[in-house]
Amino acid sequence: MRKKQFQLKNYIWVTGIFILSIIAGILIFFTCVQQSVEVSFRKQMLNDVSRQSEHLETILGIHYQYLQEIAAVMGKSEDLFCQENMDRLTSLYNETDLERVALIDAKGNAHYDTGVVKNVSHRRYFQDALSGQQTLSDPLESSIDQETRVVLGVPIFKDGEVIGVLGGSYNVTVLSHMLFDDLFYGEGDTLVVKQDGTIIAQEEGDSQQKREISYGGNLLNYYEEKNINQAQTLNMLKSDFKEGKEGLVQLGLDDTSKSDYYLAYTPLGMNDWMICYIVPVKAAQKSYSFIRKYEAVFMLAFCVLVTVLIVYIVRKNSADKAELLR
């Protein structure tokens, strides 16, 4: 009888160890799956923000090419401000998305498509373009219509020398329309910011995030106020912005270390601008939520089977004890 009891205890111990080993293996497997999922959507976010950067750079590149072609034709004229060149300004305005275009001489006198003339020699975009560079300005308030615009400028060459600048401008709202707004089910925010965190453009939307951070605000200051316990992450973010590096961080929106949002960022390749994409963690993981459902179903089925096995062992043990007593 003692021998049978000893064998039964060993059987229970072996079974228990076997079940615990299976549970440990399952937990390790689930952990690896979750890590793999996190790596996947991190890569997806970095890929999305890179696509956004390439998309915006391509659109700006098309307009630069158009401006350069017109500038090349203007440079062949005897008189830079001849009627043909002024007509080209009007045509450029009518046939492109540029909201203002101007022909600027070497002294900075800008002749706009509207007929207005003003001096822009103090503007950095003019100075850079006059030195032979293709330029893109930070947002500037227009003295003509008080709209906030970004200016694309290309030099006009004649006999190898720069004789003027051809400029075209976007309203920052138009710049915002160039940004994607449908990534991760439209729950994220796409922004263009300077290295210091100042927001230059933001795709439109009605989320709480969009209402709290908008054009002219500072993205870095916003998260610094919301995350007093994530100083190390924010310092790394500031350093990456300053050095023009791409990356991805997790940030919260309260005074705890809880991570509610992913922030992916990459340099635009123009000026010191950065493209940023901010998305809630839940939205980023939504594409992989089916994995958790399968895990839950599997764990439920496994728990039911283990329960049935334990009940069987207990009943078997009780039956063996009753048999021994009889």
Side-chain angles (χ1 to χ4, degrees):
M1 183 177 68
R2 289 180 180 178
K3 184 177 180 180
K4 289 184 177 181
Q5 288 180 336
F6 179 76
Q7 290 175 343
L8 184 59
K9 288 181 179 178
N10 285 343
Y11 175 73
I12 293 173
W13 272 105
V14 169
T15 304
I17 293 173
F18 174 72
I19 291 172
L20 291 175
S21 298
I22 292 177
I23 293 174
I26 291 173
L27 292 176
I28 293 173
F29 172 74
F30 284 170
T31 301
C32 292
V33 169
Q34 291 303 318
Q35 289 177 348
S36 178
V37 166
E38 184 167 351
V39 169
S40 294
F41 63 68
R42 279 175 175 267
K43 287 182 178 179
Q44 182 180 349
M45 284 197 64
L46 288 172
N47 180 60
D48 286 340
V49 77
S50 294
R51 284 173 49 218
Q52 175 68 92
S53 178
E54 293 170 1
H55 172 72
L56 185 55
E57 193 171 0
T58 298
I59 293 177
L60 293 176
I62 291 172
H63 282 91
Y64 272 125
Q65 184 177 2
Y66 200 22
L67 288 171
Q68 287 168 347
E69 291 175 355
I70 300 297
V73 175
M74 288 180 168
K76 296 177 182 179
S77 303
E78 291 295 329
D79 178 12
L80 183 60
F81 295 97
C82 65
Q83 187 58 46
E84 288 184 353
N85 284 349
M86 300 311 294
D87 290 340
R88 290 186 178 103
L89 281 185
T90 304
S91 176
L92 190 60
Y93 168 77
N94 291 330
E95 296 178 13
T96 68
D97 293 331
L98 296 171
E99 297 189 350
R100 284 288 176 269
V101 289
L103 185 56
I104 313 170
D105 65 20
K107 294 182 180 180
N109 297 310
H111 296 249
Y112 288 84
D113 59 277
T114 57
V116 175
V117 179
K118 72 171 186 175
N119 190 278
V120 296
S121 58
H122 62 289
R123 297 294 196 185
R124 181 177 175 180
Y125 74 84
F126 166 74
Q127 297 168 3
D128 290 342
L130 198 63
S131 67
Q133 302 177 36
Q134 174 178 288
T135 63
L136 177 64
S137 77
D138 288 335
L140 303 169
E141 183 175 342
S142 172
S143 59
I144 297 177
D145 52 17
Q146 285 69 54
E147 293 285 343
T148 303
R149 306 180 187 280
V150 291
V151 181
L152 289 70
V154 298
I156 301 175
F157 290 95
K158 185 171 185 178
D159 299 328
E161 295 183 2
V162 179
I163 61 170
V165 174
L166 179 61
S169 64
Y170 290 118
N171 188 296
V172 291
T173 304
V174 175
L175 189 64
S176 300
H177 291 164
M178 298 179 188
L179 304 175
F180 296 155
D181 61 359
D182 58 348
L183 300 176
F184 289 103
Y185 313 97
E187 296 189 44
D189 298 344
T190 308
L191 306 96
V192 181
V193 303
K194 297 174 64 176
Q195 286 183 341
D196 64 359
T198 303
I199 299 173
I200 296 173
Q202 179 183 24
E203 53 91 2
E204 296 180 347
D206 298 321
S207 71
Q208 180 68 24
Q209 186 93 335
K210 293 183 176 73
R211 290 195 297 271
E212 292 186 1
I213 50 176
S214 57
Y215 170 74
N218 191 290
L219 181 68
L220 298 178
N221 291 345
Y222 171 78
Y223 278 108
E224 194 168 30
E225 293 172 359
K226 299 286 186 178
N227 297 272
I228 61 176
N229 293 331
Q230 291 183 272
Q232 184 175 358
T233 300
L234 288 165
N235 287 336
M236 183 191 74
L237 186 62
K238 291 178 180 179
S239 177
D240 286 351
F241 272 40
K242 186 175 181 180
E243 296 176 16
K245 294 181 178 179
E246 70 172 11
L248 185 146
V249 296
Q250 295 184 22
L251 295 168
L253 291 176
D254 49 38
D255 58 356
T256 70
S257 59
K258 184 179 180 180
S259 299
D260 296 326
Y261 283 80
Y262 288 114
L263 169 59
Y265 49 92
T266 191
L268 178 60
M270 296 182 179
N271 296 356
D272 60 353
W273 294 3
M274 304 285 290
I275 293 284
C276 299
Y277 190 68
I278 307 169
V279 62
V281 172
K282 291 182 179 178
Q285 297 179 354
K286 188 180 294 185
S287 299
Y288 302 92
S289 59
F290 71 94
I291 295 178
R292 288 195 175 89
K293 292 179 181 179
Y294 289 154
E295 289 177 347
V297 171
F298 179 80
M299 285 299 296
L300 178 62
F302 177 76
C303 290
V304 170
L305 291 175
V306 169
T307 301
V308 171
L309 179 60
I310 292 174
V311 169
Y312 171 77
I313 291 173
V314 170
R315 291 174 63 88
K316 178 68 175 176
N317 188 28
S318 298
D320 288 344
K321 284 184 177 180
E323 181 65 23
L324 287 173
L325 288 174
R326 282 194 296 273

